[in-house]
Amino acid sequence: MTTKVTLREKPISKGRKSLYLDFYPPIPHHKTGEPTRREFLGLYIYDKPKTPFDKEHNLETRKIGSSIRQKRENQLNKPEIYSQYEKEQLKIKELGEQCFIEYFTKLTKKRKASNHDNWVSALKHLENFTTGSVKFKDLNVTFFEEFKEHLLTTQSMRSEKMKLSQNSAASYFNKVKAALKQAFKDGVLPIDLNSKITPIKEEETVREFLTIEEVNKLVKMPFEIPVLKDAMLFSALTGLRFSDIQRMTWDELEFIKDFGFFIKYRHKKTKNVEMLPIPEQAYQLTKGKSNPNEMPQNDLVFIGLKYSSHNNDKIRNWLLRAGITKKITFHNFRHTYASLQLLGGTDIYTVSKMLGHRSLKTTQIYAKVVDKSKRQATGKIVLDL
């Protein structure tokens, strides 16, 4: 059946009309595949032209609209007049008109938890750099090299007095590269632009951790929020993140005779299901009965556990009372677990698995810290020669 394509006008705001194509019968939408009768062209004319310039604008815009209408009608009803190459070029041209910011926004909405926050921040910096819009056809290596420079020199959105850190810039730029990789997979980008763009190199960060002597000092030192203290020590004994500890319920804990206590849970970050063995001391911190099966299975283990940046001041004072001057937050207790395991001789592959890391590269950061600690320990033995 022949598809009739008509150029129509729809009144919109500010005394303008938007040009669109009307298809009869409906055709499949190029994105959703659902039947549609409309295709807006992004072309506007004045409803009541007041000047010669307005009239000229309307005349030229209608000519462009008519040309597009004719091409679309040919494409739908006379596909044989186009070669395969011409069809591919038409498709590339159509995809190139799509907005990369809109595409990035859709990907951002699919992300969850802390990863979502990072994508949101990357999106904000991308919007600032592009003033909110950039077409796929305008993306190239030069564009992203300039965006890279923008991230490395711009101010942090948290404080106008602070420059965006290099590691934050690297993280946000990686989100943009991930979007380009996905766009190539989706067929929106005709070339793998991501592979042509080098990432921002991250600065090596210091993973501060506590020694076993320092942890034992904190065990004996009272803390004004007992449930938070128990959770921090639990993290030091298991390597779990705050988010995993906070949402942990009794049905995730299990005792197996001759094997001990286990946590069966899904990592909030990686979504991997794990059976993590934990020491009996860690279970004691839950204040549960001898067998976790005897506890209300759907109840939270650490009831009332909350944490915010405000608690960092309380943690800092707690450490100072124990004679510890290191800058420590809740997450550093996870670092402590990893570092003490490696210092104790546990192989890096096992530690990586226990931490739920997807890549061994992430765990190797702790190995560097441990190597430094070993070198410092070696230097403490000095002979009077």
Side-chain angles (χ1 to χ4, degrees):
M1 179 183 291
T2 302
T3 301
K4 183 179 180 181
V5 184
T6 307
L7 181 65
R8 300 194 188 280
E9 303 171 1
K10 179 183 179 181
I12 56 174
S13 62
K14 299 180 181 179
R16 299 176 302 161
K17 288 183 178 180
S18 176
L19 301 187
Y20 70 94
L21 301 181
D22 182 0
F23 304 99
Y24 186 82
I27 65 170
H29 190 276
H30 69 283
K31 289 185 180 179
T32 66
E34 296 295 323
T36 182
R37 285 196 57 177
R38 292 186 175 187
E39 178 184 321
F40 284 90
L41 304 180
L43 301 174
Y44 308 97
I45 60 173
Y46 297 103
D47 187 17
K48 296 180 181 179
K50 299 178 181 179
T51 66
F53 174 81
D54 293 347
K55 293 179 180 180
E56 182 67 21
H57 167 81
N58 284 6
L59 181 63
E60 292 299 320
T61 303
R62 284 194 174 100
K63 284 182 180 179
I64 295 172
S66 295
S67 176
I68 295 174
R69 186 210 68 78
Q70 186 63 58
K71 287 181 180 180
R72 291 293 281 130
E73 192 167 76
N74 287 343
Q75 185 181 13
L76 292 168
N77 300 318
K78 301 175 184 177
E80 67 277 2
I81 70 173
Y82 290 98
S83 67
Q84 186 60 35
Y85 173 76
E86 288 172 325
K87 290 177 183 177
E88 291 175 357
Q89 291 304 110
L90 282 171
K91 184 178 179 180
I92 290 172
K93 186 176 180 180
E94 287 180 3
L95 294 173
E97 292 297 323
Q98 294 185 32
C99 180
F100 178 60
I101 305 299
E102 292 180 4
Y103 180 83
F104 194 93
T105 302
K106 291 177 182 178
L107 293 181
T108 300
K109 290 178 179 178
K110 296 178 182 179
R111 267 58 188 182
K112 296 179 180 180
S114 59
N115 193 33
H116 175 263
D117 295 337
N118 284 335
W119 276 76
V120 169
S121 297
L123 174 60
K124 289 179 179 178
H125 283 286
L126 193 58
E127 288 175 332
N128 288 343
F129 179 69
T130 62
T131 64
S133 178
V134 60
K135 294 180 179 180
F136 273 97
K137 68 177 184 179
D138 296 324
L139 301 180
N140 51 46
V141 173
T142 301
F143 173 88
F144 288 105
E145 286 298 324
E146 291 174 354
F147 178 57
K148 189 189 299 185
E149 184 64 24
H150 168 78
L151 288 175
L152 291 170
T153 56
T154 193
Q155 299 300 112
S156 169
M157 290 184 176
R158 295 181 179 180
S159 172
E160 294 181 355
K161 298 179 181 179
M162 293 176 58
K163 179 184 172 184
L164 185 67
S165 72
Q166 182 159 329
N167 285 356
S168 292
S171 176
Y172 300 157
F173 195 69
N174 283 341
K175 303 301 179 290
V176 174
K177 280 175 59 63
L180 292 176
K181 185 177 181 179
Q182 187 62 48
F184 178 62
K185 286 183 178 180
D186 291 342
V188 184
L189 273 176
I191 61 171
D192 185 8
L193 188 54
N194 166 63
S195 64
K196 301 178 182 295
I197 301 168
T198 57
I200 296 175
K201 187 176 181 180
E202 291 188 11
E203 292 180 328
E204 189 170 320
T205 56
V206 177
R207 298 292 177 99
E208 192 70 89
F209 70 96
L210 297 163
T211 65
I212 188 63
E213 292 80 13
E214 290 170 333
V215 174
N216 279 321
K217 286 182 181 179
L218 294 176
V219 170
K220 299 174 183 178
M221 183 63 60
F223 186 60
E224 56 190 289
I225 310 176
V227 67
L228 182 56
K229 175 182 177 180
D230 290 340
M232 287 186 287
L233 295 176
F234 189 87
S235 179
L237 287 169
T238 63
L240 262 66
R241 300 179 180 87
F242 172 80
S243 57
D244 291 321
I245 296 174
Q246 185 185 41
R247 69 190 182 95
M248 186 169 60
T249 53
W250 287 106
D251 64 327
E252 295 174 352
L253 288 168
E254 185 174 351
F255 176 76
I256 302 176
K257 188 178 179 181
D258 298 329
F259 289 95
F261 292 94
F262 290 83
I263 297 175
K264 45 182 179 180
Y265 74 105
R266 185 182 298 275
H267 275 283
K268 186 173 182 180
K269 187 173 182 179
T270 66
K271 302 303 178 185
N272 293 330
V273 177
E274 302 285 348
M275 277 290 286
L276 177 70
I278 62 172
E280 184 175 350
Q281 284 190 326
Y283 182 74
Q284 290 173 357
L285 289 167
T286 67
K287 306 295 194 296
K289 295 181 180 180
S290 58
N291 192 321
N293 291 334
E294 299 174 11
M295 302 297 293
Q297 294 298 284
N298 294 324
D299 284 6
L300 292 172
V301 174
F302 292 94
I303 297 175
L305 177 60
K306 297 179 181 179
Y307 179 68
S308 66
S309 57
H310 175 68
N311 292 125
N312 287 334
D313 292 332
K314 296 179 180 179
I315 294 173
R316 191 175 300 111
N317 290 331
W318 179 43
L319 267 70
L320 287 173
R321 293 200 306 273
I324 303 169
T325 57
K326 295 176 180 177
K327 188 176 180 181
I328 299 292
T329 65
F330 192 107
H331 200 66
N332 290 101
F333 286 88
R334 175 173 162 85
H335 296 333
T336 296
Y337 170 83
S339 302
L340 293 183
Q341 285 287 352
L342 290 169
L343 280 168
T346 306
D347 68 88
I348 192 170
Y349 298 96
T350 300
V351 174
S352 182
K353 184 69 175 175
M354 298 286 278
L355 290 172
H357 286 164
R358 279 188 264 184
S359 170
L360 191 64
K361 183 179 178 181
T362 307
T363 319
Q364 286 172 338
I365 297 172
Y366 296 105
K368 292 180 181 178
V369 174
V370 169
D371 287 342
K372 183 179 179 181
S373 297
K374 287 180 178 178
R375 286 196 298 272
Q376 291 174 342
T378 301
K380 291 180 180 179
I381 301 176
V382 181
L383 301 179
D384 186 7
L385 299 177

